[in-house]
Amino acid sequence: RKEVEQDPGPFNVPEGATVAFNCTYSNSASQSFFWYRQDCRKEPKLLMSVYSSGNEDGRFTAQLNRASQYISLLIRDSKLSDSATYLCVVNPKAAGNKLTFGGGTRVLVKP
Amino acid sequence: DGGITQSPKYLFRKEGQNVTLSCEQNLNHDAMYWYRQDPGQGLRLIYYSQIVNDFQKGDIAEGYSVSREKKESFPLTVTSAQKNPTAFYLCASSGTVLMNTEAFFGQGTRLTVV
């Protein structure tokens, strides 16, 4: 089983709709979780960190479910500019850094 | 401006030649990483370093080597032993050994071996 797994998609989303997808992780001791966005042929950029209580940033909501070992990302009122690959990142160690990336979920927002 | 810089952006090499990719950061980060990304694929960890003069193999270290002589620098050498070196290489850095923080990426180096 991979350490971090994502549905590769693509998720085809009508403009204005809501889309949500998950990322599962195998190490129950994982401490830090992040969502990154990667545009085609560019470097990944931090979208948001994921906190235990869940957090929201504008149209984006991230949740952590420790019992089932997954994090989720929800995008409301999708814009054409939200089309990208969304990468889930997990740090499986309690201390130190060894960030492990999921394979990414591709989202295509269409008019 | 603080950040992480990779150079060059594009690199062409002949098969059988070693090539070194540069990665420099002025964020005072302890941890640095090298990832490889192939078209349509996710990021795969080549090497990472949590502190100066120390580094560990990632999932696909064969055919690559690194050094971490300075906190700011983490160069990656793609050796002739790497069977399929053409790829997009990303360098990243993050926080400290004791504190988990997000990673910041350089703009990447596209290596093409002909």
Side-chain angles (χ1 to χ4, degrees):
Chain A
R1 183 184 175 187
K2 289 183 180 177
E3 287 185 75
V4 181
E5 291 196 79
Q6 294 183 249
D7 182 338
F11 284 63
N12 294 300
V13 184
E15 192 176 7
T18 296
V19 61
F21 41 90
N22 295 338
C23 163
T24 59
Y25 60 94
S26 60
N27 189 331
S28 60
S30 295
Q31 297 293 311
S32 304
F33 309 89
F34 309 96
W35 282 106
Y36 279 74
R37 171 194 169 124
Q38 186 176 27
D39 293 297
C40 190
R41 301 177 69 82
K42 299 281 191 181
E43 76 275 21
K45 294 188 177 176
L46 179 69
L47 180 65
M48 56 199 306
S49 302
V50 185
Y51 304 122
S52 296
S53 55
N55 48 303
E56 189 174 308
D57 183 3
R59 298 181 293 106
F60 298 83
T61 300
Q63 298 262 335
L64 167 62
N65 186 317
R66 284 197 183 273
S68 300
Q69 293 182 209
Y70 73 87
I71 64 172
S72 64
L73 182 67
L74 182 145
I75 307 173
R76 284 185 298 278
D77 188 23
S78 297
K79 311 291 185 192
L80 297 176
S81 58
D82 294 333
S83 296
T85 297
Y86 292 86
L87 301 167
C88 163
V89 183
V90 176
N91 187 341
K93 288 189 176 181
N97 286 287
K98 184 197 170 191
L99 298 175
T100 302
F101 283 75
T105 296
R106 191 166 172 219
V107 173
L108 296 173
V109 182
K110 300 186 174 180
Chain B
D1 284 314
I4 181 165
T5 303
Q6 286 185 246
S7 61
K9 194 171 180 179
Y10 298 96
L11 189 56
F12 295 86
R13 277 294 181 268
K14 290 184 178 179
E15 196 171 338
Q17 289 182 332
N18 291 358
V19 60
T20 297
L21 282 56
S22 170
C23 179
E24 303 276 334
Q25 53 99 359
N26 60 4
L27 299 166
N28 199 32
H29 284 167
D30 284 321
M32 295 187 75
Y33 313 78
W34 274 105
Y35 294 92
R36 169 182 172 140
Q37 188 173 38
D38 293 286
Q41 305 295 312
L43 276 67
R44 292 186 290 168
L45 182 64
I46 305 173
Y47 269 97
Y48 67 106
S49 167
Q50 295 194 26
I51 202 163
V52 175
N53 293 321
D54 186 53
F55 49 83
Q56 286 81 40
K57 292 182 179 179
D59 301 316
I60 56 163
E62 186 175 349
Y64 299 98
S65 66
V66 293
S67 62
R68 187 85 188 276
E69 297 175 2
K70 297 187 299 180
K71 188 175 186 177
E72 302 79 20
S73 179
F74 191 42
L76 172 75
T77 296
V78 184
T79 76
S80 55
Q82 169 49 235
K83 290 182 171 43
N84 186 16
T86 295
F88 185 40
Y89 290 89
L90 286 159
C91 179
S93 70
S94 70
T96 69
V97 173
L98 295 179
M99 183 182 294
N100 302 319
T101 65
E102 68 270 24
F104 295 86
F105 283 85
Q107 289 189 306
T109 294
R110 291 196 182 277
L111 173 65
T112 302
V113 175
V114 296

